[in-house]
Amino acid sequence: MSKRILIVDDAAFMRMMVKDILSKNNFEVVGEAADGVQAVEKYFELKPDLVTMDITMPEMDGIAALKAIKEKDPNATIIMCSAMGQQAMVIDAIQAGAKDFIVKPFQADRVVEAIEKALS
């Protein structure tokens, strides 16, 4: 059975890129969100196996959304994505419970590897 994934990014083209990579690798994209508030709502509505979460977004950033999801579901599997390779953000995300961190622009094989590792 394919793993169900929620894609969170404020840029529609980034969501499309991730969706394309996932679809080609037999993952099922069950939903998309454009900000952290939507991400938290959709997470509990759709109950995905994994979330790819952008960090810099309007309304609520990815780290706040990660914390909000982990607070209610400590077993949530979330991989952070960001264009900025800022060490502090990576550390914040990992300390808040992110399983991994992918830097944009995405390398398809790195995305798949991170997701497979996080789900195993």
Side-chain angles (χ1 to χ4, degrees), residues 39-100:
V40 176
E41 284 170 10
K42 292 216 176 196
Y43 179 82
F44 292 103
E45 178 191 316
L46 301 168
K47 304 266 194 288
D49 296 305
L50 182 135
V51 180
T52 64
M53 178 90 69
D54 186 22
I55 287 186
T56 313
M57 295 184 291
E59 304 295 326
M60 177 193 279
D61 71 25
I63 293 183
L66 164 75
K67 289 176 179 169
I69 291 170
K70 288 296 248 181
E71 199 172 284
K72 291 186 184 139
D73 180 1
N75 299 318
T77 303
I78 301 172
I79 293 179
M80 304 306 285
C81 312
S82 181
M84 299 164 291
Q86 293 178 335
Q87 289 310 113
M89 282 189 164
V90 176
I91 292 164
D92 279 354
I94 300 296
Q95 284 175 340
K99 292 276 190 222
D100 205 341

Side-chain angles (χ1 to χ4, degrees), residues 5-9 14-20 22 29-34 39 42 48 50-54:
I5 299 177
L6 171 64
I7 300 170
V8 184
D9 198 304
M14 289 309 294
R15 293 197 306 269
M16 201 176 72
M17 268 181 60
V18 176
K19 191 175 190 172
D20 188 52
L22 298 178
V29 176
V30 291
E32 296 180 25
K42 292 216 176 196
L50 182 135
V51 180
T52 64
M53 178 90 69
D54 186 22

